[in-house]
């Protein structure tokens, strides 16, 4: 990964063995975090939610590089494991690991200055109602920022021939930066600050796969055949509009079960159609 030192100078300071041991998905979370934060305003002391943090490498990176406080939330990876990794990195006073579902977060409204999602938002954020939910946890002008795998443009179906061996049904969650921008703008909840693709994103995706999963031949061959025509890394950054009206989530419905005979008697008229 030495050829990426110029593109990712902050990440280059970290031990590749530590990065590999902290990997939790198909992307280098530090590369994506560095690219995302190059267009994101962070100040020491800000409260940041790292949503879908995996093994918390990106959370540690954000705390070390920018002096922010990070809540490292993930559903699949153990907070105990992450706590050990965070302690070993000396960031136990700045990074707080929790086990949480992205759809049932244990935070107060308006708690965070920034919410980031590194190669994770695609698993839950395509829901039309999700932006309304997650925006509640941002301050009135807080920032939502995502980066991860995506497309250069929305694909026509069936998918291109060179991707079919690699393609599985769950990949329909992959989208272009323009798709995400439209998906968010139409809610009137946020204003888009930036939306685009990583320069040579497909090459960085391929570099990482060759490093972390050299036996993943289907993905490697798909990236080699595609050469950035469809596959890339995308990022989208937006800030919450202070005047946006957010719908309160329904958490429970009061019971209201009235007793009536199931069938009407001959003397009763049926309910009009």
């Amino acid at each position: 990964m030495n050829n990426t030192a110029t593109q990712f100078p902050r990440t280059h300071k970290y031990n590749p063995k530590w990065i590999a041991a902290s990997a939790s998905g198909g992307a280098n979370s530090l590369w994506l975090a560095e690219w995302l934060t190059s267009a994101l305003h962070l100040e020491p002391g800000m409260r940041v939610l790292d949503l879908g943090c995996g093994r918390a490498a990106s959370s540690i990176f954000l705390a070390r590089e920018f002096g922010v406080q990070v809540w490292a939330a993930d559903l699949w990876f153990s907070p105990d494991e992450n706590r050990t990794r965070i302690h070993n990195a000396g960031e136990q006073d700045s990074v707080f690991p929790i086990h949480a579902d992205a759809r049932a977060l244990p935070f107060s409204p308006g708690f965070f200055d920034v919410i980031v999602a590194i190669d994770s938002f695609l698993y839950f954020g395509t829901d039309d109602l999700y932006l309304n939910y997650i925006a509640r946890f941002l301050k009135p002008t807080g920032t939502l920022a995502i980066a991860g795998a995506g497309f250069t443009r929305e694909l026509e179906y069936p998918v291109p021939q060179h991707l079919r061996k690699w393609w599985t049904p769950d990949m329909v969650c992959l989208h272009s930066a323009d798709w995400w921008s439209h998906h968010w703008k139409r809610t009137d909840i946020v204003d888009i600050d930036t939306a685009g693709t990583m320069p040579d994103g497909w090459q960085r995706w391929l570099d990482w796969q060759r490093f972390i999963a050299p036996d993943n031949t289907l993905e490697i061959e798909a990236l080699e055949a595609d050469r950035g025509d469809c596959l890339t890394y995308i990022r989208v950054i937006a800030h919450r509009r202070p005047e946006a009206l957010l719908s309160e989530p329904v958490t429970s419905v009061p019971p209201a079960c009235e007793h009536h005979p199931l069938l009407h008697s001959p003397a009763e008229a049926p309910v009009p159609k």
Side-chain angles (χ1 to χ4, degrees), residues 31-224:
W31 285 350
L32 290 179
E34 181 165 355
W35 179 51
L36 187 62
T37 54
S38 69
L40 183 63
H41 177 69
L42 293 176
E43 293 181 353
M46 279 185 167
R47 291 198 291 258
V48 177
L49 173 61
D50 189 357
L51 186 58
C53 69
R55 290 194 166 94
S58 54
S59 306
I60 293 167
F61 176 88
L62 292 170
R64 287 182 59 85
E65 297 298 320
F66 300 98
V68 294
Q69 291 184 306
V70 186
W71 278 256
D74 201 89
L75 178 64
W76 298 340
F77 290 88
S78 164
D80 293 331
E81 175 192 337
N82 284 348
R83 185 174 294 106
T84 299
R85 184 174 294 105
I86 291 162
H87 187 274
N88 290 343
E91 294 297 332
Q92 63 273 14
D93 295 329
S94 300
V95 183
F96 315 110
I98 65 169
H99 178 261
D101 188 325
R103 299 176 182 86
L105 294 171
F107 303 112
S108 300
F111 186 74
F112 293 105
D113 298 285
V114 178
I115 296 174
V116 302
I118 307 296
D119 209 31
S120 61
F121 204 77
L122 69 172
Y123 292 113
F124 41 81
T126 56
D127 182 340
D128 286 344
L129 303 180
Y130 190 73
L131 184 63
N132 179 87
Y133 173 75
I134 194 64
R136 294 178 65 252
F137 301 104
L138 284 171
K139 292 181 179 179
T141 57
T143 300
L144 175 63
I146 68 172
F151 294 137
T152 57
R153 62 191 183 281
E154 287 302 288
L155 295 190
E156 299 292 333
Y157 292 93
V159 298
Q161 182 66 40
H162 67 278
L163 298 179
R164 292 185 188 177
K165 287 185 179 179
W166 168 67
W167 190 266
T168 56
D170 58 333
M171 291 178 189
V172 296
C173 67
L174 294 174
H175 290 287
S176 66
D178 285 344
W179 185 93
W180 283 108
S181 180
H182 174 73
H183 186 57
W184 289 0
K185 282 194 296 187
R186 65 196 180 106
T187 66
D188 284 333
I189 292 172
V190 297
D191 288 323
I192 305 299
D193 299 322
T194 188
T197 60
M198 179 186 288
D200 293 326
W202 74 274
Q203 185 66 64
R204 301 292 80 80
W205 187 342
L206 178 59
D207 290 342
W208 179 246
Q209 286 300 310
R210 286 173 172 168
F211 174 76
I212 199 68
D215 295 332
N216 187 5
T217 54
L218 282 179
E219 189 161 336
I220 289 171
E221 289 173 358
L223 287 160
E224 290 173 337

